Amino acid sequence: MGDTILYEVLNGVATITLNRPDKLNAFTHELNHDVRKAVKEASTDEGVRAIVITGAGRAFCSGQDLSGVDESIDHGEVLRNSYGPMVKEIDRCEKPIVAAVNGVAAGAGFSLAIACDFRLASENASFLEAFIHVGLIPDAANLYNLPKIVGHAKALELAILGEKISADEAKELNLVTKVIPAAEWDHQVRAFAERLASMPTKAIGLIKRNMKAGWQMDLHDYLEKEAYGQRIAGLTKDHQEGVQAFLNKRKPEFQGQ
Amino acid sequence: MHNLRFVEATVVDGVGLIELNRPEVLNAINRQVVSELVELMTAFDRDPEVGVMVITGKGRAFAAGADIHEMAGDSPIDLELLDQFADWDRLLSIKKPVIGAVNGFALGGGFELALACDLLFTTETAQFGFPEVNLGVMPGAGGTQQLTKIMGKRKALEWLLTGEKMSAQEALHFGVVNRLIAPELLLEETMKYAKKVAKQPALAVRLIKEAVDKAVDYPLDEGMKFERKNFYLLFSSEDQKEGMSAFMEKRSPQFKGK
């Protein structure tokens, strides 16, 4: 799948592990590319119904690997060629994506975490808008996604002041779904992801699609979009299963179809 | 309609559905495809059971480009004598409305086929483009003319000069397509609209399309006169009498297409 990540599928969950632990999983062009390819693979693999992105070692992702950055770099082109395609692939993916933030998520690592649908934070995790400290703006869609999660004022504060946020603070900001004790980390991440993988996958995809669309539509257009969405969901086997299970007072078994 | 190899046709509730069926080559358009399309559409145009046509592609593309191998060795004289674009001219003279349901890539000749349709419904993920320039040539089946008439000189040139792909959202923004529809529902929604049009009084639909087409090329004064003649002409139809009687009698009209 690529030299900079690990990719594994188990019980309907694809786990993408950023695997440059000695560099705190810092992004290189290759890592951007490998993550994009892995998300695409998980998107098209019918056996996958939930995706986890996490980091090997003690960091989630420390952001851009600055060792390759010098005066000759065109920062705009780096974004167009490396980060943009990765962020678009994540955005296109209709399966639920969980960022399992095991340690520091700084700079573009923070951006990666908030490009995902859910964030689970280890008690050891932290978040940092590092860009301002090197005179840059948060990129990889960071300023696009962050205000939607924490609100405009808070996002501005985080982006400009660049202060480190602990896992507990992140929970208070609604930046993460849950903070998990280190001892229970693997177990709880897997349980959360497998729970998502057992849900009606198509409906999850449509919820993601519609909620994103709503940000850029007026009510009139959105209601039309909603009608499409419910029509599609209404044609799924999982909808039939859900209704039957309800009528027969049993637990539904969704197949993701 | 005999020996159709690359296109499939069915008639459903007054809609002539045409599906390009070469998914293994992303429905690339070769001379045979165009010739089959013309044959089929001409037949539908004369078929009283068909009120409107829908064109779509099977698989993940609408139609991605032309068959390059077919023309790579042609000389200008070969092309003049073959006169392959005459078939494209015939596509434009179809009298009944043609709706394109663009399910994926519409590139080169595929984009030209889309532009030859009267209305375009498309998926949110469809992409359009004229990559011809990157092969040292240019669109030859109406691309430069049709796109410019729709989006204006400046925007059309922007795409034509680089061959870059236009997203469905951009196509909607510049009026190249009518509607963006979720991929899962493209055909269903297109057919829903097509069936609605198929139920309309056929002569009125036909003369409206003809008049709107003139609006694109005629000066306003000529266009107004053309419109008027068509308006008068409809007063010789049975459907006009039925439509107006039904309106006055507060009942639903029963149109016959005559």
Side-chain angles (χ1 to χ4, degrees), chain B residues 114-154:
Chain B
L115 291 171
C117 297
D118 299 307
L119 293 96
L120 286 177
F121 289 9
T122 174
T123 61
E124 294 147 343
T125 49
Q127 290 189 306
F128 303 83
F130 282 124
E132 286 87 342
V133 65
N134 298 317
L135 306 180
V137 287
M138 60 185 284
T144 63
Q145 304 303 297
Q146 300 272 31
L147 191 64
T148 305
K149 281 180 194 285
I150 293 167
M151 67 193 316
K153 172 183 153 174
R154 284 171 215 287

Side-chain angles (χ1 to χ4, degrees), chain A residues 12-225:
Chain A
V13 177
T15 302
I16 300 166
T17 306
L18 313 187
N19 193 29
R20 303 182 71 223
D22 50 326
K23 301 285 184 189
L24 301 178
N25 303 317
F27 273 121
T28 57
H29 172 72
E30 198 189 358
L31 179 53
N32 285 133
H33 179 76
D34 286 347
V35 171
R36 182 179 67 77
K37 292 260 288 188
V39 171
K40 187 167 190 181
E41 165 68 24
S43 298
T44 49
D45 182 347
E46 285 180 13
V48 172
R49 294 168 62 191
I51 300 165
V52 171
I53 299 179
T54 193
R58 62 194 175 89
F60 174 70
C61 171
S62 59
Q64 174 67 30
D65 189 333
L66 293 173
S67 65
V69 175
D70 60 35
E71 286 166 9
S72 70
I73 284 225
D74 179 337
H75 293 70
E77 285 303 302
V78 171
L79 292 179
R80 287 190 192 98
N81 297 329
S82 298
Y83 286 99
M86 179 186 79
V87 169
K88 283 185 202 168
E89 195 66 57
I90 291 172
D91 179 66
R92 240 193 317 268
C93 178
E94 299 227 324
K95 295 169 186 174
I97 307 181
V98 180
V101 184
N102 52 301
V104 66
F110 192 161
S111 307
L112 173 64
I114 58 177
C116 298
D117 303 309
F118 296 91
R119 281 151 297 283
L120 299 178
S122 154
E123 60 185 349
N124 299 324
S126 63
F127 297 83
L128 180 64
E129 289 279 57
F131 300 90
I132 193 73
H133 303 303
V134 289
L136 293 177
I137 64 168
D139 59 23
N142 189 298
L143 298 178
Y144 185 84
N145 289 321
L146 191 60
K148 291 175 183 158
I149 299 171
V150 302
H152 187 105
K154 195 69 199 177
L156 202 68
E157 195 182 305
L158 297 178
I160 292 177
L161 298 181
E163 291 170 3
K164 193 169 173 179
I165 310 159
S166 71
D168 288 334
E169 285 163 341
K171 178 72 182 78
E172 275 174 40
L173 293 175
N174 289 330
L175 196 52
V176 303
T177 302
K178 199 175 183 184
V179 179
I180 298 170
E184 296 170 34
W185 176 246
D186 289 343
H187 170 69
Q188 284 210 30
V189 169
R190 175 139 291 279
F192 186 83
E194 287 186 3
R195 174 180 158 201
L196 287 171
S198 70
M199 294 178 73
T201 310
K202 189 74 191 172
I204 291 178
L206 289 163
I207 288 170
K208 288 174 56 165
R209 202 195 288 183
N210 277 29
M211 202 175 279
K212 276 186 263 194
W215 288 102
Q216 43 203 348
M217 281 181 167
D218 62 27
L219 179 65
H220 179 271
D221 289 346
Y222 177 76
L223 289 173
E224 189 56 23
K225 181 98 183 163

Side-chain angles (χ1 to χ4, degrees), chain A residues 228, chain B residues 120-124 168-169 171-172 177-182:
Chain A
Y228 286 162
Chain B
L120 286 177
F121 289 9
T122 174
T123 61
E124 294 147 343
Q169 290 74 16
L172 180 70
V177 304
N178 293 74
R179 292 186 197 176
L180 303 194
I181 296 170

